[in-house]
Amino acid sequence: MDKMIVGVIGFGTVGAGVVKILLNDKEMLEKRAGIPVILKKIADLDITTDRGVKVPDGVLTNNADEILNDSEINTVVEVIGGENPAKKFIEAALNSGKNVVTSNKEVIAKHGLHFTSMAEKNNCSILYEAAVGGGIPILHAVRNSLSANKIEKVFGIVNGTTNYILTKMTDSGADFAATLKEAQDLGYAEADPKNDVEGYDVAYKLSILAGLAFRCHVDYREIYREGITKITPDDIAAAKRFNYSIKMTAIGMRREDKLELRVHPVMIRNSHPLASVNDAFNAIYIRGGSVGDVMFYGQGAGEMPTASAVVGDIMNLAFRKADGFSEDSRYDLHAMPVMPIDECVTSFFIRYTVTDEPGVLAAVSTVFAKNKVSILSIQQVDAAGGQAAITAITHPVEERSMKNALEEMKKLACVKEICSVIRVGLGE
Amino acid sequence: MDKMIVGVIGFGTVGAGVVKILLNDKEMLEKRAGIPVILKKIADLDITTDRGVKVPDGVLTNNADEILNDSEINTVVEVIGGENPAKKFIEAALNSGKNVVTSNKEVIAKHGLHFTSMAEKNNCSILYEAAVGGGIPILHAVRNSLSANKIEKVFGIVNGTTNYILTKMTDSGADFAATLKEAQDLGYAEADPKNDVEGYDVAYKLSILAGLAFRCHVDYREIYREGITKITPDDIAAAKRFNYSIKMTAIGMRREDKLELRVHPVMIRNSHPLASVNDAFNAIYIRGGSVGDVMFYGQGAGEMPTASAVVGDIMNLAFRKADGFSEDSRYDLHAMPVMPIDECVTSFFIRYTVTDEPGVLAAVSTVFAKNKVSILSIQQVDAAGGQAAITAITHPVEERSMKNALEEMKKLACVKEICSVIRVGLGE
């Protein structure tokens, strides 16, 4: 490639950020790339809204085909998000041998494998740094700088919306519904929040990150996923008493010939650096065979941080000089089996209510012991009206055993309710 | 390049780590690179010591020329450290058109510009990821993934030895000399510790990092440098009282057409993430125009983390497929003027002793006020034998004004001694 001729599909928040960098910092980018970097077209259905950047005449179009059919454009930026019509735009671009840069985790999690083989066939590339961790350059580091490592583990906070909600719930003591509403009013959560609060977004990101880290194909549908909708102010208060914070996390580990992959809220000890990653920030740990633990921290979303990663990918393509396919290939496309959640081992926090009478502790303890659940710490929180609320943290135990213990507990007459079950720790 | 044929010069700690990865993980590396990665020769004066890795017959030599004159070897790893003879080995390799990968901050800080133009002339590359931050992939991120950003600031903890010493002094209350001795016994500090404790190592690293971040040539000799040898247990105790930690830091900032570059101990508020970077860990912040703050954390030294970065550079060369010079060029080789330390603005912590009598506070305050030094917080620590020890933290003030105030304070009869002056904060 002797010049980058770029078409941007999608002129929303991220698209506007990309356009701002491409237009306002053109001189800097071209000096660094050593070749011209030209924004030729921007396609969006809405080309009248002011996006805060002045676009030259003739660049805006409401027809994506003007980009996809332009033989001069060699790099297509897809920043509309969601599965459709992004998928068909990406396919069309790759089919014409155009490089694709996207920030779209959903379409990559669902069709990344398909896109990768299309790109290989057409001697072009698809890059998607912005799809995981926003502005944090984690994927390129895994592919390139850390490639001398067999990666054993990836974990972290990769969703700004849930981290914002949990941070606010921790600060204010408010419940999930009220805090979600506030986040929606401030633009930190979408009108339909399911993608974030039910953990789909995190599962998409984990499938992409784990696929690159463990050099295999990870189907996001095989990832155990649990959202934050059931977290209550009582859970947050209990976590504080135990000196923990509740965070929505992605955890991926190599377990001999299987992968352990889980997306769920976790109680993290406050001395762990992830416990102080607050608001919309993201932080990702990579544990490599040689490098040990490295951590990357930054803004996981937002117009300019995400645009930084998108334009970084464009620059990465420009730096290569040669056309074609290099380390961005997921060359190793075998699937690794995912460990069933029942076999995963973790500590648990449980909160439950019992009748406040002699013998209750013994009855519950017998159920725990029978199922090999060993208790690290137990507290009676309060007692009123003949009932007591109990919080307990277990030693690490197989998920299956914990489930059996909870089932048996529910059958005890003295146990009124199992209010919460939250995993503890990051799978050390 | 259709294969990487590697010669390693230096079979010490880092060299042994590099050899371990190249031999033990050969299959993984070649699968990832898509081309053979062959370790052909290792040169060291001592080829009899057991390095914990079995080397095939015929690979070891005590003559570096066997690597430098081998026309088949296309990549030379220099991991002997220090300025000489590393410089002449690197020159010889680049002159024969061989790529060079090095972990040597001193030789790069002193001769990086010279090597870069040699590499450009000979159509080969010199990479030195391991020279800053050990295993943390910071330089490649600055060059590549963050290249859509005008970088405004770099700062962090980049020397494991001084961070280890300051962490231990904080934990134990012991003084500098005793803690240094302990660090030397444990292998965390060298027999001649000057390079670390006087800040030379940090200045080398800052010149490399700032050069890439601000896209200019930074002469390490122009960096203001102050070591940790004068830090006392009293300073550490005072920092704790103010809820600060003392860390050895590198700070680089773009100030219009100048650079502010400083290497010295800093008091950092305990709520700042850098305050909890302990022992031999490193952490580096980059503030980009688009991405905002991103932070990278990991092991800044040690056999395998450093080797991870060295072999990562070898892989980076392999990924390129095409020969020649790409984003690793410091294409922008103008020097930017460095702001004189006297013009830098920062807060200060000062600890001084005075005669314990009426009017002293007024006398000192008059000196401060006259020199535009405004006090944020002041504490009388203890008083005995007619003397009182005072600690104070100032608002941000020009270094020049602070110096003038201190000179005048020394002339006051009531001021017995200025015990310590430590900068506060990270130049926000």
Side-chain angles (χ1 to χ4, degrees):
Chain A
M1 264 183 311
D2 59 351
K3 53 184 110 167
M4 304 293 293
I5 305 188
V6 180
V8 175
I9 303 180
F11 201 26
T13 306
V14 177
V18 170
V19 168
K20 282 176 192 169
I21 299 178
L22 289 176
L23 292 179
N24 299 342
D25 299 330
K26 183 176 163 68
E27 195 189 348
M28 176 187 84
L29 298 177
E30 296 189 336
K31 198 169 173 192
R32 293 180 181 185
I35 55 175
V37 180
I38 298 153
L39 172 62
K40 191 171 177 193
K41 288 275 174 201
I42 306 166
D44 198 289
L45 293 179
D46 167 9
I47 56 174
T48 54
T49 301
D50 181 4
R51 310 290 182 175
V53 53
K54 196 176 153 22
V55 175
D57 288 345
V59 166
L60 280 171
T61 168
N62 53 20
N63 181 1
D65 286 341
E66 282 196 33
I67 290 176
L68 297 167
N69 297 332
D70 185 329
S71 62
E72 215 191 19
I73 290 177
N74 55 23
T75 305
V76 172
V77 173
E78 181 280 304
V79 281
I80 46 179
E83 186 174 6
N84 295 304
K87 175 168 180 269
K88 87 173 179 203
F89 292 151
I90 293 174
E91 285 173 336
L94 294 174
N95 260 331
S96 333
K98 297 182 197 306
N99 298 305
V100 170
V101 172
T102 177
S103 59
N104 188 332
K105 48 233 134 202
E106 181 173 351
V107 83
I108 292 295
K110 292 183 175 170
H111 308 289
L113 187 58
H114 164 61
F115 294 150
T116 304
S117 24
M118 282 185 74
E120 193 155 22
K121 211 180 312 169
N122 293 286
N123 198 34
C124 56
S125 294
I126 175 159
L127 293 177
Y128 39 86
E129 180 64 69
V132 181
I136 305 169
I138 183 76
L139 299 187
H140 187 70
V142 167
R143 276 172 167 155
N144 190 302
S145 304
L146 299 176
S147 58
N149 288 270
K150 184 172 180 183
I151 294 177
E152 298 301 333
K153 185 171 172 183
V154 296
F155 63 106
I157 296 169
V158 293
N159 180 275
T161 303
T162 49
N163 203 44
Y164 177 85
I165 291 172
L166 290 171
T167 303
K168 292 302 155 199
M169 285 177 72
T170 303
D171 293 348
S172 70
D175 71 8
F176 173 76
T179 313
L180 170 63
K181 174 75 174 52
E182 194 191 307
Q184 285 169 322
D185 292 345
L186 291 166
Y188 286 112
E190 315 233 359
D192 177 0
K194 190 179 148 197
N195 210 25
D196 291 313
V197 300
E198 296 288 3
Y200 289 97
D201 177 82
V202 180
Y204 294 150
K205 288 167 174 167
L206 179 57
S207 78
I208 297 170
L209 180 60
L212 291 173
F214 304 130
R215 261 55 179 192
C216 64
H217 175 60
V218 174
D219 187 330
Y220 76 97
R221 289 167 299 189
E222 292 186 38
I223 296 175
Y224 178 80
R225 183 186 46 72
E226 200 180 295
I228 62 162
T229 54
K230 290 179 198 149
I231 304 290
T232 67
D234 283 344
D235 296 330
I236 299 216
K240 280 186 187 168
R241 276 197 309 276
F242 284 105
N243 209 17
Y244 283 86
S245 295
I246 300 178
K247 295 290 181 186
M248 179 68 168
T249 56
I251 300 176
M253 283 177 277
R254 200 194 285 277
R255 294 289 191 204
E256 292 169 16
D257 56 347
K258 287 185 189 159
L259 293 181
E260 180 171 342
L261 299 168
R262 325 187 239 125
V263 166
H264 51 67
V266 158
M267 281 198 187
I268 301 175
R269 210 177 282 279
N270 282 336
S271 58
H272 193 285
L274 281 188
S276 40
V277 173
N278 287 325
D279 300 317
F281 278 85
N282 283 193
I284 300 154
Y285 275 81
I286 305 285
R287 179 168 300 161
S290 297
V291 77
D293 278 1
V294 284
M295 194 259 267
F296 299 74
Y297 167 90
Q299 293 183 63
E303 177 185 14
M304 297 317 291
T306 310
S308 161
V310 170
V311 182
D313 276 347
I314 296 175
M315 295 297 280
N316 191 354
L317 291 167
F319 289 142
R320 288 186 198 168
K321 292 185 177 168
D323 284 325
F325 214 71
S326 73
E327 86 276 23
D328 51 309
S329 153
R330 290 202 216 172
Y331 46 83
D332 200 352
L333 299 174
H334 71 286
M336 271 176 86
V338 174
M339 187 181 266
I341 187 72
D342 275 354
E343 293 175 22
C344 295
V345 173
T346 179
S347 296
F348 288 87
F349 161 86
I350 34 178
R351 191 165 57 80
Y352 54 99
T353 50
V354 293
T355 52
D356 193 11
E357 59 190 19
V360 168
L361 187 61
V364 173
S365 300
T366 306
V367 168
F368 283 151
K370 193 181 138 198
N371 290 286
K372 297 177 197 136
V373 176
S374 152
I375 299 298
L376 170 71
S377 171
I378 190 160
Q379 291 185 353
Q380 176 167 319
V381 185
D382 47 28
Q387 279 205 5
I390 312 284
T391 56
I393 291 182
T394 74
H395 283 288
V397 59
E398 238 192 19
E399 184 107 6
R400 186 198 327 259
S401 306
M402 191 68 215
K403 273 186 193 159
N404 291 340
L406 292 169
E407 281 312 309
E408 287 191 40
M409 273 175 74
K410 282 184 200 162
K411 289 179 197 149
L412 294 175
C414 61
V415 173
K416 291 297 152 201
E417 195 191 356
I418 311 279
C419 311
S420 298
V421 180
I422 301 173
R423 291 171 193 82
V424 176
L426 294 154
E428 296 303 314
Chain B
M1 265 181 310
D2 58 353
K3 55 183 108 168
M4 305 293 293
I5 305 189
V6 180
V8 175
I9 303 180
F11 201 26
T13 304
V14 177
V18 170
V19 169
K20 282 175 193 170
I21 300 178
L22 290 177
L23 293 179
N24 300 341
D25 299 329
K26 185 176 163 66
E27 194 190 348
M28 176 187 84
L29 298 176
E30 295 189 336
K31 198 168 173 192
R32 291 181 182 185
I35 56 175
V37 180
I38 297 154
L39 172 62
K40 190 171 177 192
K41 288 275 174 199
I42 306 165
D44 198 289
L45 293 179
D46 167 8
I47 56 174
T48 54
T49 301
D50 181 3
R51 310 291 182 173
V53 53
K54 198 177 151 21
V55 175
D57 288 346
V59 167
L60 280 171
T61 169
N62 52 21
N63 181 2
D65 286 341
E66 281 195 33
I67 289 175
L68 298 166
N69 296 332
D70 185 329
S71 62
E72 216 190 19
I73 290 177
N74 55 23
T75 304
V76 172
V77 173
E78 182 280 303
V79 281
I80 47 179
E83 185 174 7
N84 294 304
K87 175 168 180 269
K88 86 173 179 204
F89 292 151
I90 293 174
E91 285 173 336
L94 295 173
N95 261 331
S96 331
K98 298 183 196 309
N99 298 305
V100 171
V101 173
T102 177
S103 59
N104 188 332
K105 48 232 133 203
E106 182 173 349
V107 84
I108 292 294
K110 292 183 175 170
H111 309 288
L113 188 56
H114 165 60
F115 295 149
T116 304
S117 23
M118 282 186 74
E120 192 155 24
K121 212 181 310 168
N122 293 285
N123 198 34
C124 55
S125 292
I126 176 160
L127 294 178
Y128 39 86
E129 179 64 69
V132 181
I136 305 169
I138 183 78
L139 300 187
H140 187 70
V142 166
R143 277 173 166 154
N144 190 302
S145 304
L146 299 176
S147 58
N149 288 270
K150 184 171 182 183
I151 295 177
E152 297 302 333
K153 185 170 174 185
V154 297
F155 62 107
I157 296 170
V158 293
N159 180 275
T161 303
T162 48
N163 203 44
Y164 177 85
I165 292 172
L166 291 171
T167 302
K168 292 301 156 200
M169 286 177 72
T170 303
D171 292 348
S172 70
D175 71 7
F176 173 76
T179 313
L180 171 62
K181 174 76 174 53
E182 193 191 307
Q184 286 170 321
D185 291 345
L186 290 167
Y188 285 112
E190 314 234 358
D192 177 359
K194 191 178 147 197
N195 210 25
D196 290 313
V197 301
E198 296 289 2
Y200 290 96
D201 177 83
V202 180
Y204 295 150
K205 288 167 175 167
L206 179 57
S207 78
I208 297 170
L209 180 60
L212 291 173
F214 304 131
R215 261 56 178 192
C216 64
H217 175 61
V218 174
D219 187 330
Y220 77 96
R221 290 166 299 189
E222 292 187 38
I223 296 175
Y224 178 80
R225 184 186 46 72
E226 200 179 294
I228 63 162
T229 56
K230 290 181 199 150
I231 303 291
T232 67
D234 283 344
D235 297 330
I236 297 212
K240 280 185 188 170
R241 276 196 309 277
F242 284 105
N243 209 18
Y244 283 87
S245 296
I246 300 180
K247 296 288 179 187
M248 179 67 169
T249 56
I251 300 176
M253 282 176 279
R254 199 192 286 276
R255 294 288 192 206
E256 292 169 15
D257 56 346
K258 286 186 190 161
L259 293 181
E260 180 171 343
L261 299 168
R262 323 188 240 124
V263 166
H264 52 66
V266 159
M267 281 199 188
I268 301 175
R269 210 177 281 280
N270 282 334
S271 58
H272 193 285
L274 281 187
S276 39
V277 174
N278 288 324
D279 300 317
F281 278 85
N282 282 194
I284 300 153
Y285 274 80
I286 305 285
R287 180 169 300 161
S290 296
V291 76
D293 278 2
V294 283
M295 193 259 267
F296 300 72
Y297 168 91
Q299 293 182 61
E303 177 185 15
M304 297 316 293
T306 310
S308 161
V310 171
V311 182
D313 276 349
I314 297 175
M315 295 295 283
N316 191 355
L317 291 167
F319 289 141
R320 287 185 200 170
K321 292 185 178 168
D323 284 325
F325 214 73
S326 72
E327 88 274 25
D328 50 310
S329 153
R330 290 203 217 170
Y331 45 83
D332 200 351
L333 299 173
H334 71 285
M336 272 175 85
V338 174
M339 187 180 267
I341 188 70
D342 275 354
E343 292 176 22
C344 295
V345 173
T346 179
S347 296
F348 288 87
F349 161 85
I350 34 177
R351 191 163 57 80
Y352 54 98
T353 50
V354 293
T355 52
D356 194 11
E357 59 190 22
V360 168
L361 187 63
V364 174
S365 300
T366 305
V367 169
F368 283 151
K370 193 181 139 201
N371 290 286
K372 297 178 199 135
V373 176
S374 153
I375 300 297
L376 170 71
S377 171
I378 189 160
Q379 290 185 354
Q380 175 166 320
V381 185
D382 47 29
Q387 280 205 4
I390 311 283
T391 55
I393 291 183
T394 74
H395 282 288
V397 58
E398 237 191 21
E399 184 107 7
R400 186 197 327 260
S401 305
M402 191 68 215
K403 274 185 192 158
N404 292 341
L406 292 168
E407 283 311 309
E408 286 192 40
M409 272 176 73
K410 283 183 197 161
K411 290 178 196 148
L412 294 176
C414 62
V415 172
K416 292 296 154 201
E417 195 191 358
I418 311 279
C419 312
S420 299
V421 181
I422 301 174
R423 292 171 191 81
V424 176
L426 294 154
E428 297 303 314

